Amino acid sequence: MILDCAGKRVDLSSPQVMGILNVTPDSFSDGGNYQRVRAAIQRAHQMVEEGAAIIDVGGESTRPGACAVSVAEELERVLPVIEALGKEMPVPISIDTCKPEVMREAVKAGAGFINDVAALSAPGAVEAAADCLVPISLMHMQGQPRTMQSAPVYGDVVRDVCDYLLQRVAACETYGIKRARLIIDPGFGFGKTLAHNLTLLKALPQLVATGLPVLVGISRKSMIGTILNAKLDDRVIGSVSAAVLAANAGAKIIRVHDVKETVEALKIVSAVNSYRECEKEL
Ligand code: YH5
């Protein structure tokens, strides 16, 4: 299966890596917007060399406890990066946003993919995404980023997440968005305890069975930190291991910080899963 991202193609017949590119003031030792943009462009080039198939540009921190950002502020952060990368890069640029205005401007500036952690729930977001004609990833989240980790509760976390995502898919379809443009994501860490996250990772084949491509973001998250009792920089091997498990369960896009390491690991997954006995060279 091939995703057409505004003319740039992503082949999902094997699992692909989406590289995280944060353009938020807390992501770099801050020398203002200009330096931030330059550093982001440099990092994007490196991620493509390391094998990233999509670059996910975000100017709105959605980490637990993060503050809201205005449309103007977010556009000021992401647009210069997207304008530069859209032209230079062989791979599509994803815009990580919940805001319809940002979706429209980003796609006009050259983005070929929309990554919305709120699954197009903001007023006007479904309409904006429909107009943009690019693939869209719909993520499940319980609550709001500021408070979502306080005490998340589910009846059946797998059912609830699946039902929600399929409802969002249906909402998209009523606005003329074809299923071929949709990707679903269980939203690890977004209003979920460690037990919820582990339950969802084990049940990933159920999401895969919907037939929609599944995107997974576990990289460096607190579920890895908690299991390993490790701080952010010491979560690479744990994150890569989780990526391997997700890809082996059928996830098609893995959103990560550590591109090189994850690309290598996923090559092993693909080699094993695409190997056929009859192709054996004797
Ligand atoms: C995701 O899962 N996640 S932003 C906390 C961390 C480390 C990383 C405590 N955007 C996802 O990456 N988009 C984010 O350490 C996402 N799926 C999709 N589609 C949160 C994040 C992070 C948070």
Side-chain angles (χ1 to χ4, degrees), residues 6-208:
K8 290 177 185 169
R9 289 152 69 85
V10 178
D11 183 357
L12 297 185
S13 51
S14 58
Q16 301 294 331
V17 165
M18 169 185 265
I20 300 171
L21 192 64
N22 285 319
V23 201
T24 47
D26 48 286
S27 332
F28 297 95
S29 51
D30 211 32
N33 202 49
Y34 179 75
Q35 262 203 18
R36 205 149 60 220
V37 166
R38 280 195 45 153
I41 291 169
Q42 209 174 11
R43 174 65 186 142
H45 277 98
Q46 186 183 12
M47 290 197 289
V48 170
E49 273 167 33
E50 292 175 351
I54 306 174
I55 303 295
D56 189 40
V57 177
E60 162 195 63
S61 185
T62 38
R63 286 189 181 195
C67 296
V69 179
S70 73
V71 171
E73 174 79 42
E74 200 177 324
L75 286 173
E76 195 190 354
R77 292 176 186 173
V78 299
L79 281 188
V81 177
I82 294 169
E83 277 164 6
L85 296 179
K87 280 178 245 146
E88 296 171 4
M89 289 292 173
V91 307
I93 309 306
S94 155
I95 175 66
D96 183 347
T97 191
C98 306
K99 300 186 181 73
E101 302 90 336
V102 176
M103 292 172 193
R104 290 185 191 276
E105 293 303 316
V107 171
K108 257 193 258 172
F113 189 104
I114 294 169
N115 175 26
D116 185 356
V117 299
L120 305 179
S121 61
V126 184
E127 294 90 329
D131 292 344
C132 286
L133 304 173
V134 299
I136 306 146
S137 105
L138 303 169
M139 197 195 79
H140 174 274
M141 160 161 52
Q142 184 180 88
Q144 297 298 315
R146 208 169 53 76
T147 52
M148 64 192 177
Q149 287 306 100
S150 55
V153 178
Y154 294 87
D156 173 335
V157 68
V158 177
R159 265 274 61 79
D160 293 2
V161 167
C162 263
D163 288 352
Y164 172 82
L165 291 172
L166 291 175
Q167 270 173 35
R168 297 310 299 156
V169 167
C172 286
E173 288 182 311
T174 65
Y175 282 82
I177 301 174
K178 294 274 184 289
R179 275 176 100 89
R181 271 173 66 197
L182 296 173
I183 292 107
I184 54 173
D185 178 344
F188 288 100
F190 283 84
K192 291 159 189 101
T193 63
L194 176 59
H196 295 140
N197 289 320
L198 293 174
T199 304
L200 283 167
L201 187 51
K202 286 191 89 163
L204 212 58
Q206 287 186 55
L207 275 189
V208 172

